[in-house]
Amino acid sequence: MADGITISVAVEGLVDEAVARRLIVFAGATPGPVYGKQGKPFLRERIAGYNNAAQHSCWMVLVDLDRDHDCAPPLRAAWLPQFAPRLCFRVAVRAVEAWLLADPERIAKFLAVAPGKVPSAPETLDDPKSAMVALARATRRREVREDMVPRDGSGRSVGPAYASRLIEFATSCWRPEVAAQRAESLRRAIDCLQCLAKTP
Amino acid sequence: MSNTSKPLRFEKITLTNWKNFASCEIAVGKRAFLVGPNASGKSNFLDVFRFLRDLAVSGGGFQEAIDRRGGVSAIRCLAARRYPDVDIRVVVIDADGSSKWSYGLAFNQDKQRRARIKKERIERDGLLLLERPDSDDKQDPERLTQTHLEQVNVNRPFRELASFFESIRYLHIVPQLVREPDRSVGRTNDPFGGDFLEQIAKTQERTRLARLKRIRDALRVAVPLLAEIELIRDNRGTPHLRGKYEHWRPQGAWQTEEQFSDGTLRLMGLLWVAMEGGGPLLLEEPELSLHPEIVRYLPQMFARVQRRTGRQIILSTHSPDLLRDEGIGLDEVLLLQPSAEGTKVRPAGAFTEIPRLLAGGSTLADAVIPRTRPEHADQLSQFGDL
């Protein structure tokens, strides 16, 4: 079904893009052009435009909940009063890293850490990105640590090839159907995309 | 290239009166991103490393390095005042920090405008190996026209350092030169890519095939229709790269480098040198001709490559797409800001606002680019009416 419905995408960053693409393919649709990738405020300013465009074609907008609100519905309401039927507006609780952590077996293998170290309820994490970095810090492999964990003095929250590693994981190792069992916001996103993929 | 096991890299550089830099001292990490307005001195900063290479390379040396730059007066900073000498000091360390070199060279010109060394000093792990002028220099001042670094008969105790300088590589591929290598006949290691194809051809076949395959895989991201790349020689022996493009014709179509786009050639050049390993790699605006989506991935690509090779990468850039990368450390971005007293160089982390802007959701590009804006850029819009 690779050439079924095409879904345009708007996301915050590079890792979100890889996750969105993977989910769209998993849902049986084809990823279209990917917009944004310049942070959350960039998307928020343009959400009305994405919603307009979704009057005519299928769209997925994926944002992180972060600590903006306690749960997804108030964030949705704050962004737009009403979404076009073909706009799949999804909120990752609290960040897309939680969705990746929700496949504990695979992420443990990918990062070379003990499976027991992967947080069991990723959607309850306050800051999934720092949880991912903390997990990478515990790796047995030096190259994973050097890529994903920031150096002392770098002043950044992630290492120099953090995004590249997670893109690799999301694209080639991650199982959305397994992860959906531990991440409700992911399950809803998959349902929404599968529904969109069947749009006549 | 001699340093293979424990690659050396620059740790600190101190400049006095070097071109735009009246006085500057800056730490450089494994990666450095130089940003600043046009003519702030990004290329001149890179040129210090090229100067050190010119000192050490065979066929080079102090006089040659000075001549290539148009003499001492073309090098000395216009803001130079009381202290007239040009002074370069670098600290070089190895990967695990177990070995530390320092090299210092001060020079000026005599009344006949001939370049003269004022001081040359080399230390290894705190031990002084060379300090000039020495008594021989005082007896025979003609000796001060050459560094000891460049002299094989005396540089044995610090040849490792000389080889390190020699291993510095500058790359600024000009696609037109790759396509028409005749324009740079006979140059080896041409930074502008004139002998790029010859260098690929000289690489051992197994290595070459493996690298070209990896380049093809990487390039398919940027140029999806590119199915194969190979190196061939024409009947005059001149090497050519050719690529097979998937096509509506079942066999596809072969094109040589003459038909490759500027972006394809530049990206090939970048990927090739990235895989080479070796000494510090100096890149001038690697974003040129590339799609912004490709540029965004360059910092991550460099990070993964240099984790494997240990190669230091120092590059200049104007690209917001490149600086948007969230893995670039604030200590890796060096801001060049011109002033009447010469250009100042400071790491992004030294500006208290920058970490705060990042914490508020700005990208590094949002936080840094406004500080690199030329002061009167807006006047350019009135150019037609001036």
Side-chain angles (χ1 to χ4, degrees):
Chain A
M1 285 287 291
D3 40 13
I5 296 272
T6 296
I7 302 178
S8 300
V9 180
V11 288
E12 291 184 30
L14 303 179
V15 179
D16 312 76
E17 174 183 0
V19 168
R21 286 179 181 279
R22 179 85 173 83
L23 292 178
I24 289 169
V25 172
F26 180 75
T30 305
V34 181
Y35 296 80
K37 295 192 274 181
Q38 299 191 34
K40 194 194 243 177
F42 184 93
L43 295 184
R44 174 117 197 220
E45 279 168 26
R46 289 157 180 79
I47 184 66
Y50 303 141
N51 200 45
N52 275 343
Q55 309 285 345
H56 306 284
S57 54
C58 295
W59 275 73
M60 176 192 201
V61 176
L62 174 60
V63 297
D64 288 346
L65 176 61
D66 297 323
R67 277 162 256 182
D68 298 358
H69 299 273
D70 288 338
C71 53
L75 184 143
R76 290 176 64 93
W79 277 50
L80 262 193
Q82 182 120 40
F83 288 93
R86 277 186 283 190
L87 175 65
C88 171
F89 183 84
R90 302 321 311 178
V91 182
V93 177
R94 292 188 177 262
V96 84
E97 277 85 352
W99 290 2
L100 300 176
L101 291 168
D103 185 356
E105 194 185 314
R106 289 287 171 90
I107 192 76
K109 188 164 177 235
F110 184 79
L111 297 180
V113 296
K117 290 209 160 111
V118 183
S120 54
E123 289 199 320
T124 63
L125 293 169
D126 198 40
D127 182 355
K129 192 179 217 170
S130 59
M132 184 69 86
V133 172
L135 197 59
R137 209 182 283 276
T139 179
R140 293 184 295 272
R141 289 171 55 201
R142 182 183 59 87
E143 54 277 23
V144 170
R145 194 176 311 113
E146 284 186 17
D147 282 352
M148 297 186 64
V149 179
R151 276 175 304 105
D152 289 340
S154 88
R156 304 309 294 267
S157 55
V158 298
Y162 173 87
S164 159
R165 284 274 176 183
L166 288 189
I167 292 166
E168 188 184 339
F169 175 69
T171 312
S172 56
C173 310
W174 182 57
R175 296 167 299 179
E177 72 283 17
V178 173
Q181 294 165 17
R182 284 169 194 259
E184 176 63 13
S185 61
L186 172 61
R187 190 191 59 74
R188 287 168 185 246
I190 292 173
D191 288 350
C192 176
L193 284 172
Q194 282 176 334
C195 204
L196 207 56
K198 292 186 196 117
T199 312
Chain B
M1 314 281 160
S2 63
N3 41 19
T4 45
S5 54
K6 274 191 203 164
L8 295 171
R9 69 170 177 87
F10 290 100
E11 185 192 43
K12 194 169 92 174
I13 175 150
T14 311
L15 300 174
T16 309
N17 296 335
W18 173 267
K19 299 194 173 186
N20 311 48
F21 307 94
S23 167
C24 111
E25 179 174 315
I26 191 85
V28 277
K30 275 166 70 182
R31 286 190 305 184
F33 300 84
L34 308 172
V35 295
N38 294 114
S40 58
K42 296 186 292 296
S43 302
N44 287 341
F45 190 83
L46 291 180
D47 195 39
V48 178
F49 303 102
R50 300 176 70 192
F51 179 82
L52 294 172
R53 176 188 151 87
D54 288 347
L55 289 182
V57 78
S58 72
F62 177 64
Q63 295 298 326
E64 170 71 18
I66 297 285
D67 287 348
R68 267 192 204 175
R69 287 162 180 80
V72 172
S73 47
I75 295 174
R76 192 168 50 215
C77 181
L78 294 173
R81 298 226 179 106
R82 276 213 304 260
Y83 180 77
D85 296 345
V86 181
D87 194 322
I88 300 169
R89 292 174 204 187
V90 293
V91 177
V92 171
I93 55 168
D94 69 8
D96 53 14
S98 64
S99 174
K100 188 170 194 158
W101 291 90
S102 75
Y103 181 74
L105 179 70
F107 58 90
N108 211 321
Q109 59 187 3
D110 61 17
K111 291 200 175 79
Q112 283 79 48
R113 302 172 75 86
R114 287 176 307 186
R116 281 286 182 274
I117 289 162
K118 291 298 188 79
K119 283 180 202 155
E120 187 182 21
R121 188 185 160 89
I122 302 178
E123 276 182 30
R124 178 178 198 166
D125 302 327
L127 195 70
L128 188 63
L129 299 183
L130 176 78
E131 178 144 45
R132 299 178 67 201
D134 55 17
S135 53
D136 292 339
D137 295 325
K138 282 171 189 149
Q139 282 175 16
D140 179 11
E142 205 53 30
R143 290 166 59 96
L144 291 168
T145 58
Q146 293 185 339
T147 61
H148 277 198
L149 190 80
E150 71 201 68
Q151 293 172 35
V152 185
N153 52 351
V154 295
N155 76 4
R156 192 162 170 199
F158 40 88
R159 195 165 294 152
E160 188 185 344
L161 185 68
S163 305
F164 167 69
F165 288 162
E166 198 178 348
S167 73
I168 295 167
R169 176 91 193 267
Y170 171 82
L171 187 80
H172 182 40
I173 281 198
V174 178
Q176 289 79 351
L177 286 183
V178 181
R179 294 196 193 98
E180 293 180 54
D182 294 352
R183 291 198 204 174
S184 56
V185 181
R187 293 186 75 166
T188 54
N189 274 320
D190 177 14
F192 305 108
D195 66 339
F196 175 54
L197 300 180
E198 196 57 57
Q199 282 189 35
I200 295 182
K202 273 195 294 199
T203 309
Q204 212 187 9
E205 188 179 2
R206 253 184 69 188
T207 313
R208 182 176 73 230
L209 290 176
R211 283 189 189 168
L212 285 177
K213 183 175 172 298
R214 290 187 60 191
I215 289 180
R216 182 206 62 192
D217 293 345
L219 269 181
R220 285 195 70 147
V221 179
V223 192
L225 298 179
L226 187 65
E228 277 177 59
I229 313 176
E230 62 179 28
L231 191 97
I232 52 163
R233 282 186 188 273
D234 64 19
N235 46 22
R236 287 184 305 172
T238 311
H240 295 280
L241 267 182
R242 62 175 200 170
K244 185 179 185 180
Y245 287 79
E246 280 166 357
H247 211 262
W248 52 269
R249 272 179 280 199
Q251 301 303 319
W254 286 95
Q255 291 192 340
T256 67
E257 73 278 355
E258 286 175 28
Q259 293 139 329
F260 286 169
S261 75
D262 286 4
T264 306
L265 275 177
R266 289 185 56 103
L267 189 53
M268 277 183 181
L270 272 182
L271 295 170
W272 181 269
V273 290
M275 281 186 288
E276 262 181 350
L281 176 61
L282 314 172
L283 299 170
E284 198 100 62
E285 298 179 40
E287 69 267 19
L288 290 179
S289 321
L290 299 181
H291 190 284
E293 286 284 302
I294 298 295
V295 175
R296 283 205 68 175
Y297 292 96
L298 290 181
Q300 303 261 327
M301 188 269 277
F302 291 144
R304 287 184 77 155
V305 160
Q306 70 182 167
R307 191 216 334 114
R308 289 219 329 271
T309 63
R311 186 169 208 185
Q312 186 171 32
I313 300 179
I314 303 174
L315 61 87
S316 68
T317 183
H318 283 295
S319 167
D321 296 296
L322 195 144
L323 292 174
R324 207 160 273 139
D325 189 89
E326 59 178 345
I328 298 178
L330 300 185
D331 51 353
E332 292 181 307
V333 177
L334 307 182
L335 268 84
L336 276 62
Q337 295 180 305
S339 76
E341 297 298 311
T343 292
K344 304 282 176 228
V345 188
R346 293 164 74 191
F351 296 81
T352 45
E353 310 88 292
I354 290 180
R356 288 166 194 226
L357 287 168
L358 296 181
S362 292
T363 67
L364 189 56
D366 300 332
V368 164
I369 297 279
R371 292 189 168 275
T372 69
R373 174 186 183 268
E375 219 172 303
H376 301 294
D378 50 342
Q379 288 183 6
L380 198 59
S381 65
Q382 299 153 33
F383 178 69
D385 287 326
L386 289 178

